[in-house]
Amino acid sequence: MAQSVGIKDVARAAGVSVGTVSNVINRPDTVATETRARVLSAIDRLGYVRSESARQLRAGRSRIMGLLVLDMGNPFFVDVARGAERAARDAGLGVMVCNSAESVGEEAEYLSLFAEQRVRGVLLTPADATGRNIESFRRHGIPFVLVDRVSDGTTECSVSADDVAGGALAVRHLIDAGHRSLAYVSGPPGFTQVRDRRTGALNALAEAGLGPECLRELPTERLDVAAGRDAGARLLGLADRPTAVFCANDLLALGVLQAMYAAGVSVPDDLAIVGYDDIEFAAAAAVPLTSVRQPAVTMGALAAELLLEETEESEAGGRRHEHRRVVLQPELVVRRSSLSAR
C-alpha cells in the first residue's frame, strides 16, 4: 500500500523548510514568487493533499457536524437530513450522516466515532430510551441537539413536533368519519413518539366520550413496512376487526395497506387507514394515504441552526448559551385511505 505524502516530503522535494511549505499553503503572499512556484510544483508532482482533519484538530474547530438518525430507510429522516445539510452548508460546514438502525449498540458506536473525530456538534434522534448513551456522550463536552425527540432529564436543545396533538388529529378525524372501533399500530413502546401519539389518540377518544377500550393497540418491533405487513396480518386475524387503524408512521401504514390489498380487504370501505409523517410515498400509494404531516426539513434545519448558535457562542466566549426546546405543530393531510362514508 502506498504511503500518503506529508508536508515533510514536500519540503524535502522543494528544498525548503516545513514552515515555508505551510506558508505557501496558508499564507502564500508571504513567500517569494520563485520559492512559492517551486513548492507548488513539488505539491503537484507528489500529489500532496492537505490533511483537513489535522488542521482542524490543531485549531480545535471542526467543520463537520454529526447527524445520527433512527432509520435512513425512512424518508422522514432523509428529509430531516436534507434540512440539516442545507443549514450546515450555508454556514460552510459539512454533515456526517449515520444510521443507528434503531439499535442501542450501533448508536453507542457512532457516538464514540463522533467523539473520536471531534465533530463540531451532533444532531441526534436517540434509539436508547434509557438515556445512558447520551449520558456517556455528554462527558466529551461536544454539544448536541435532539431531533424529533424531547428526552426526560435532558436540558440540551431539541426540535420536535407535538406528537400528542398529532395523535389527536388522526383519531379525531376517524371519529368524525363515524368510526368507533379503532386500532393503533404503534411500533416499539420504548420510543417517546410512539407513546405520545397513543396519548393523543386516547385524548381524542375521551373528547368524544369514548373509552380507551375503543383503541386496540398492536405493537411492532420496528417502524418499517415489513412490521406494518405483520401488524396487518394480525389485524386480519381478529374476530372483531376494527373499522379504522391509526399507524405510528407512514411506513407501518403502507405495510398495513399492502396486507389489506393482498387479502382483498377494501381500503377505505372495509378499513380506513391513517399514517404519520406524510412522507412522499404516502401520496403515491395505490390508495393515497391520509397522514399527519411533520415539517421534517424544517426540523432538521432548525436543529442545525441551534447547534451552530451554541458552538459559535461558546467559541466567542460571550454570554452562556441558553438551551431551547422548539415544538412544531403537525397538520392532518386527508386523502382517500380514510374517506369511506359510514
Side-chain angles (χ1 to χ4, degrees):
M1 180 183 295
Q3 292 184 341
S4 61
V5 176
I7 193 170
K8 291 182 179 178
D9 299 310
V10 174
R12 188 179 304 113
V16 298
S17 69
V18 169
T20 299
V21 177
S22 177
N23 285 338
V24 169
I25 295 171
N26 297 297
R27 296 177 296 278
D29 292 342
T30 65
V31 182
T33 302
E34 182 182 343
T35 303
R36 186 167 69 241
R38 195 162 71 249
V39 171
L40 291 174
S41 176
I43 287 173
D44 183 61
R45 187 169 66 255
L46 297 175
Y48 169 75
V49 177
R50 179 173 64 168
S51 173
E52 180 68 12
S53 61
R55 186 189 69 81
Q56 291 171 10
L57 288 175
R58 288 193 298 272
R61 179 184 175 89
S62 173
R63 294 180 57 244
I64 299 295
M65 68 171 63
L67 171 62
L68 181 56
V69 300
L70 289 176
D71 180 12
M72 281 304 293
N74 185 338
F76 168 77
F77 288 112
V78 174
D79 285 343
V80 168
R82 283 175 49 217
E85 190 274 338
R86 184 180 305 165
R89 187 178 64 240
D90 289 345
L93 305 181
V95 179
M96 181 192 299
V97 181
C98 298
N99 176 29
S100 72
E102 302 177 19
S103 164
V104 173
E106 291 190 33
E107 175 181 87
E109 291 175 5
Y110 279 124
L111 289 175
S112 293
L113 175 64
F114 289 152
E116 291 170 6
Q117 295 297 316
R118 301 189 190 180
V119 297
R120 186 186 187 97
V122 174
L123 308 178
L124 170 65
T125 303
D128 181 13
T130 69
R132 283 193 290 267
N133 281 344
I134 288 178
E135 283 302 315
S136 178
F137 182 70
R138 186 180 280 114
R139 74 174 187 269
H140 297 290
I142 297 174
F144 64 90
V145 174
L146 299 180
V147 184
D148 192 35
R149 184 74 56 88
V150 175
S151 183
D152 294 337
T154 298
T155 60
E156 280 77 10
C157 288
S158 65
V159 182
S160 61
D162 188 339
D163 285 317
V164 175
L169 281 174
V171 171
R172 195 177 295 126
H173 167 68
L174 293 171
I175 292 172
D176 290 344
H179 297 282
R180 296 296 181 269
S181 176
L182 294 81
Y184 175 43
V185 177
S186 61
F191 288 165
T192 304
Q193 299 97 318
V194 167
R195 297 196 302 269
D196 285 351
R197 292 166 196 179
R198 179 179 183 273
T199 297
L202 293 174
N203 289 348
L205 288 172
E207 290 170 6
L210 302 171
E213 70 278 359
C214 295
L215 186 71
R216 195 174 317 187
E217 185 167 359
L218 298 174
T220 63
E221 293 184 358
R222 296 184 62 83
L223 289 161
D224 55 23
V225 174
R229 284 196 298 267
D230 175 70
R234 283 183 280 154
L235 194 64
L236 289 167
L238 296 177
D240 184 19
R241 187 191 305 162
T243 62
V245 58
F246 166 45
C247 299
N249 75 0
D250 284 340
L251 296 182
L252 290 173
L254 291 171
V256 171
L257 180 60
Q258 288 180 6
M260 296 303 112
Y261 181 82
V265 174
S266 174
V267 175
D269 295 329
D270 297 328
L271 182 74
I273 302 177
V274 176
Y276 206 105
D277 290 337
D278 194 34
I279 62 175
E280 184 177 355
F281 299 140
V287 179
L289 186 66
T290 294
S291 184
V292 178
R293 175 180 294 166
Q294 294 199 87
V297 174
T298 300
M299 191 178 293
L302 287 175
E305 289 167 5
L306 285 174
L307 185 61
L308 289 166
E309 177 186 297
E310 179 174 356
T311 57
E312 287 169 1
E313 288 182 359
S314 173
E315 290 166 0
R319 64 183 179 84
R320 182 180 176 83
H321 174 77
E322 295 182 5
H323 293 305
R324 301 199 304 276
R325 291 187 174 185
V326 179
V327 180
L328 305 174
Q329 291 303 308
E331 61 177 307
L332 183 71
V333 180
V334 179
R335 300 189 181 96
R336 190 155 61 89
S337 70
S338 64
L339 288 179
S340 60
R342 302 192 68 80

